[in-house]
Amino acid sequence: MTSIELKPPSATLLALEPFRAAVDYVAGQAPLTFPLPLGDGHPVLVFPGLGVSGAATSDLRQRLQRLGYEVYDWEQGVNFGPNGDHDLQLELLGDHLKQIHSLHRRLVSLVGWSFGGIYARQLAAKYPELVRQVITLATPVDDNSDATHAGWLLNVLSSGIAPMNLESTPHLDAAPSVPCASVYSKTDGIVAWEGCVSAESPSHRNIEVEDVSHFGMVHHPEVLRVVADLLAQDSHGSPLAVTQAVDR
């Protein structure tokens, strides 16, 4: 997708992000008011967002596990972004992906939140023979590093880590050949939603979820519904599972 001039979300959305994220978290803890499709047991690898570890995605992983998937954390600790040897980071993540694929002998779905989605896309581009699909949540797939507050936020939270430079990441918008879906919200307070979408194609879908915060992406029930629906589809986008309610 051709890069366009983008701006970060407004100061208002940024200021409201903590409050709205708390609201999304609470909404995610309430009983579901709609049924979810049960999974077919294939493995799912989940990547955390910038500045957080797998602990931040544990809630999402537990819910997907209860739906019947074999769910894995990325196991690389805190995601500090493209600092240091990015090729080495991808190699380590690739080894983890290979291990999961070898254990289950099935293609692996990759779910990446925020910058974690960049790693998911890059791995899928590098190892398409191992990947079933890629689902990104509020991920800046456009290579415009000025369209996000994420770098500034990480530098504030990291206290001493070298400033993040998205432009230093090779092939930031790697285009995988496997099916991809980009889930985004126009009320994202961290990443410009316009940078989260790519051109629609038979292998790529852009899916909007309304009134969801950036940090609420891994908790909001509507996001869970979208992810569950996508995981329950085969490589051609056809449903695999009968939809039914599950206990929280």
Side-chain angles (χ1 to χ4, degrees), residues 36 39 46 55 63 85 94 97 130 137 143 149 177 190 199 207 230:
L36 295 175
V46 181
R63 293 172 181 177
D85 192 333
L97 173 61
L130 306 179
L137 311 176
D143 60 358
H149 293 297
S177 57
I190 302 297
I207 304 174
L230 289 169

Side-chain angles (χ1 to χ4, degrees), residues 201-245:
S201 71
S203 62
H204 181 88
R205 300 172 58 189
N206 299 308
I207 304 174
E208 180 184 358
V209 288
E210 296 184 355
D211 198 27
V212 180
S213 66
H214 185 82
F215 293 110
M217 276 281 175
V218 289
H219 301 291
H220 198 282
E222 177 60 14
V223 178
L224 175 62
R225 183 193 66 77
V226 170
V227 172
D229 285 347
L230 289 169
L231 290 176
Q233 296 175 1
D234 63 18
S235 59
H236 302 291
S238 301
L240 286 174
V242 176
T243 299
Q244 62 185 79

Side-chain angles (χ1 to χ4, degrees), residues 89-107:
Q89 182 79 21
L90 279 181
E91 183 178 345
L92 293 174
L93 292 173
D95 288 343
H96 188 35
L97 173 61
K98 292 174 185 177
Q99 291 171 1
I100 295 172
H101 178 269
S102 178
L103 177 63
H104 296 280
R105 300 293 180 180
R106 302 182 68 177
L107 297 180

Side-chain angles (χ1 to χ4, degrees), residues 18-105:
F19 170 76
R20 295 178 57 246
V23 171
D24 290 340
Y25 175 81
V26 172
Q29 305 312 302
L32 289 173
T33 59
F34 47 80
L36 295 175
L38 294 181
D40 63 352
H42 79 264
V44 179
L45 177 56
V46 181
F47 301 80
L50 198 63
V52 297
S53 68
T57 62
S58 61
D59 193 32
L60 175 62
R61 286 186 281 114
Q62 290 172 8
R63 293 172 181 177
L64 296 180
Q65 189 171 34
R66 288 198 292 268
L67 288 176
Y69 298 101
E70 297 290 339
V71 187
Y72 294 86
D73 176 42
W74 82 323
E75 297 187 355
Q76 293 296 312
V78 176
N79 183 352
F80 286 120
N83 289 303
D85 192 333
H86 186 70
D87 290 335
L88 176 60
Q89 182 79 21
L90 279 181
E91 183 178 345
L92 293 174
L93 292 173
D95 288 343
H96 188 35
L97 173 61
K98 292 174 185 177
Q99 291 171 1
I100 295 172
H101 178 269
S102 178
L103 177 63
H104 296 280
R105 300 293 180 180

